[in-house]
Amino acid sequence: MTSRATSVRPRPRRGLRRLLAGLTVAALVAALGPTGALPAQAAPTLLSQGRPATASSTENAGTPASAAVDGNTGTRWASAFSDPQWLQVDLGTRATLSSVNLLWEGAYGRAFQLQTSDDGATWTTIYSTTTGTGGTQNLTVTGAGRYVRIYGTARGTGYGYSLWEFQVYGETGGTTPTCGSTNAAQGQPATASSTQDAGLAASNAVDGNTGTRWASAASDPQWLRVDLGSTRTICRVVLTWEAAYARAFQIQTSADGNTWATIYSTTTGAGGTQSLDVTGSGRYLRVYGTARGTAYGYSLWELAVNATGGTTEPPGDTTDPRNPNLGPNTFVFDPSTPTSTIQSRLNSLFTQQEQNQFGPQRYAVLFKPGTYTADVNLGFFTQVAGLGLSPDDVNLNGHVRTEAFWMGGNATQNFWRAAENLSVTLPAGTTVERWAVSQAAPYRRMHLRGAQNQIQLWNGGDGWSSGGLLADTRIDGLVVSGSQQQWYSRNSEFGNGWTGSVWNMVFQGVTGAPPPHFPNPSHTVIAQTPQVREKPFLYIDGTGEYRVFVPALRNNSVGTSWYNKTPAGSSISLSQFYIVQPGTSAATINAALAQGRHLLFTPGVHHVTEPIQVNRADTVVLGLGLATIQADNGSVGMRVGDVDGVKVAGLMFEAGTTNSPVLMEVGPSGSSASHATNPTSLHDVFFRIGGPHVGKATNTLTVNSDNVIGDHMWLWRADHAASGVPTGWTLNTADTGLTVNGDNVTMYGLFVEHYQKYQTLWNGNGGRTYFYQNELPYDPPNQAAWMNGTTRGYAAYKVADSVTSHQAFGLGSYSYFNVNPAVVEERSFEVPINPNVRFTNMVTVSLGGVGTINRVINNAGGTANAAAQQQYLTTYP
């Protein structure tokens, strides 16, 4: 089969392009009256021209989605050569549509639909054909929405889909949204008043399988309830009854699951399949049966709920701070829970998650204050945490550990897990706790009790581990780094000190730290932490109320914020938070933020098609179980305003398959306000480009605001991964990891890896970084593909030539050009020559001698290659 790069197909001649453009003029002339004037009515407006457009794919860089809405019939969008494909335009506001004009190039759609949406996620079809013939199609439509797309299911040629122009006409404002076809109930949590037996559970009625069913006890009344995850405007309910049906029943909705409003009622139900047009809204919907149609109970094969697009009204439900819905993947234990129940749950989670690094499952395991016996062995995307105000409020007799047996002792892929706010007492006769992790695996606000004990960051006899964080943690005994290659410890206390070193060990504000002796051993010691705020966390107060504690800003600090002292900070009731469940639209989330509420994301993957907008000062955004925000359809995941004191913590941002300009932006471009006394801070915030699927984002995290604090972040592009996971230089595309434009930005524990241009680009003045870990992209196919002008490759850490002040301490950059070992990076750190731009303690490594880093910083430092794999430099200039 001929590849697209070498195939040749005829292009329309210039005269044909003029004819295509002229057809829209002819259509206008046909509408004129005898005097050449338009009829006396409002003319539809061309709404799509110049608006943001995205697509499922593009044939190449010269045929972007934007070319179909630029008003130029000489430019076009073209897709990949596969089905289905789509092109979407954001009109910016809701509109009532009257017509859509399609100006096809030679590669047209034979079968396609025109669809509208209010949130970019739930779509309603307003036109459909399987007999498209290409050319110019002027289609009259009836519908409304903010987003409009053409969704192609069958191409008319062997090529992709290609449009010179996609023109959407109508009037802004819009009418009542059309009823969507997506089943909002499917897969959502369901409960019932009773079940006939264990095989006829409530969840069977919302599993999308008409071969499974819910059945109740044989009595009246009975009910089935589904949690839609967010407030929805409900327009249709479809009931697929088994033979045991309801003769009298009501359809009811509720904002909180307690107070119900009836939106449909009948006393003459006949069973079968009932499609009921209704009008109502609520997060919860239930079928409430009062009279059975048979002697048996009530039985439903399926309950389907249709809604009118996304939720744009402010959420009506409030959070009960004593009994919050933390989602089905959050498990909360108290001291009365049987030890066997706790251990069984922990074991089943570990079995599922031990190797599940690219699955969508996310879990949080939370312990209320008290004492427990448990062996917590953490797998991927699992967070274990105590719900006390102090770590010592929850004590586990046992372990909180991470092993690496799944990779034969190699812990270099033990990512994405967390242990927080717990104390651990090891079993009698045991003196070693193992924490064999690499990136994005914080051991934070923990207390390992017993001066005779040690925490081991892995064992050289078992394999390697590669980078991690200890923060706000007390280790009564000894920390043994073993075969851990690099590590950052901040504001912690080591009762019996630290032993071990490989490449880059950094200690900041740590009591019990070893003496500074870089590079042999490679210990960088900074006495104090100049300004930091610890990560906010969920806890339960003495009355049983869930609250979020927000630690105070500390200056020039040493040691933990809590051990033998009262933590400084403020406490917020969970009643002031909106709890975000997977499936909640960004519009709903933004409505909650506009109400002045904070956000708590429950474990899961949260898809958004427009940015989450955090614009209120001091807003807290907290994730449980490494909750993940995936930016779909080329959207931005989150934008934070140029305001004081926003705290974002415990979240992963993931790229979708359509390129996003950036996944997270802190402050709009041009931000200039000072936040020196109340900075925005990011804690355990991680980013992923690719992995479970192809991912694309030009930039990953851009910081425009001043005085921002980063407290442990890993920004990662997938260029090598497990078997079956898509990776490649042209698949997972991402130019830059971190871009800093703001002044006086500080990063503690910064990990940035595998990007295709600069890993980190720092444009602001007064920046500081304490510990930096980087791996360069593994996969440049050749040197020509990885050139920065005439320079071989891109620096791992670039400070712009215009910067006059910058400091960085304890930095490592590593190469492993396994696709082409002949590739060379000219230098890992590139900075302006200025006495106020100072770098301290750097290392470059050619991993296994695969690939070359020519210089450490600018033109200083030795060459890391097969002959000399490690190069150290203590100061520059």
Side-chain angles (χ1 to χ4, degrees), residues 693-763:
H693 51 252
V694 170
K696 298 176 184 291
T698 305
N699 300 295
T700 302
L701 170 63
T702 297
V703 177
N704 294 314
S705 287
D706 295 345
N707 310 104
V708 172
I709 294 173
D711 173 28
H712 188 221
M713 293 189 294
W714 185 32
L715 294 76
W716 181 74
R717 168 186 165 261
D719 62 351
H720 64 287
S723 175
V725 174
T727 58
W729 188 251
T730 59
L731 288 178
N732 299 318
T733 55
D735 286 354
T736 307
L738 172 65
T739 303
V740 178
N741 298 319
D743 292 338
N744 303 312
V745 171
T746 303
M747 293 288 162
Y748 300 106
L750 177 60
F751 303 72
V752 188
E753 301 193 304
H754 307 301
Y755 287 88
Q756 294 175 296
K757 293 184 178 178
Y758 293 122
Q759 311 295 301
T760 296
L761 175 59
W762 210 294
N763 298 313

Side-chain angles (χ1 to χ4, degrees), residues 155 239 400 516 748:
R155 291 162 290 140
L239 304 172
V400 174
Y748 300 106

Side-chain angles (χ1 to χ4, degrees), residues 353-365:
Q353 297 300 107
E354 182 182 14
Q355 302 183 40
N356 192 18
Q357 61 178 316
F358 296 117
Q361 293 80 13
R362 307 284 188 271
Y363 297 98
V365 180

Side-chain angles (χ1 to χ4, degrees), residues 146-225:
R146 170 176 171 173
Y147 302 89
V148 183
R149 75 175 178 183
I150 179 170
Y151 189 87
T153 55
R155 291 162 290 140
T157 71
Y159 301 102
Y161 298 82
S162 183
L163 281 166
W164 296 112
E165 284 294 296
F166 180 49
Q167 299 173 329
V168 179
Y169 288 84
E171 298 177 18
T172 58
T175 57
T176 302
T178 53
C179 195
S181 58
T182 299
N183 181 2
Q186 187 167 318
Q188 295 296 109
T191 54
S193 53
S194 67
T195 55
Q196 181 180 324
D197 58 54
L200 301 171
S203 58
N204 290 349
V206 293
D207 62 359
N209 181 356
T210 55
T212 63
R213 64 187 175 97
W214 162 69
S216 78
S219 62
D220 293 310
Q222 301 289 342
W223 53 261
L224 174 73
R225 183 181 83 164

Side-chain angles (χ1 to χ4, degrees), residues 605-609 628-632 635 652 654-657 693:
V605 179
H606 301 259
H607 294 265
V608 299
T609 55
T628 299
I629 296 172
Q630 181 170 313
D632 291 330
S635 69
M652 172 181 277
E654 188 159 83
T657 56
H693 51 252

Side-chain angles (χ1 to χ4, degrees), residues 746-833:
T746 303
M747 293 288 162
Y748 300 106
L750 177 60
F751 303 72
V752 188
E753 301 193 304
H754 307 301
Y755 287 88
Q756 294 175 296
K757 293 184 178 178
Y758 293 122
Q759 311 295 301
T760 296
L761 175 59
W762 210 294
N763 298 313
N765 276 310
R768 294 174 295 185
T769 294
Y770 299 93
F771 182 88
Y772 184 73
Q773 179 180 322
N774 162 256
E775 282 187 357
L776 299 165
Y778 284 14
D779 56 344
N782 50 58
Q783 192 69 64
W786 199 49
M787 293 290 291
N788 183 11
T790 59
T791 300
R792 292 179 293 184
Y794 287 79
Y797 193 113
K798 165 72 173 178
V799 179
D801 295 343
S802 60
V803 171
T804 58
S805 59
H806 190 91
Q807 297 180 66
F809 303 83
L811 304 101
S813 177
Y814 315 123
S815 71
Y816 187 69
F817 301 130
N818 64 328
V819 172
N820 188 337
V823 170
V824 177
E825 185 205 34
E826 192 60 42
R827 59 187 65 88
S828 277
F829 307 101
E830 188 172 296
V831 304
I833 300 173

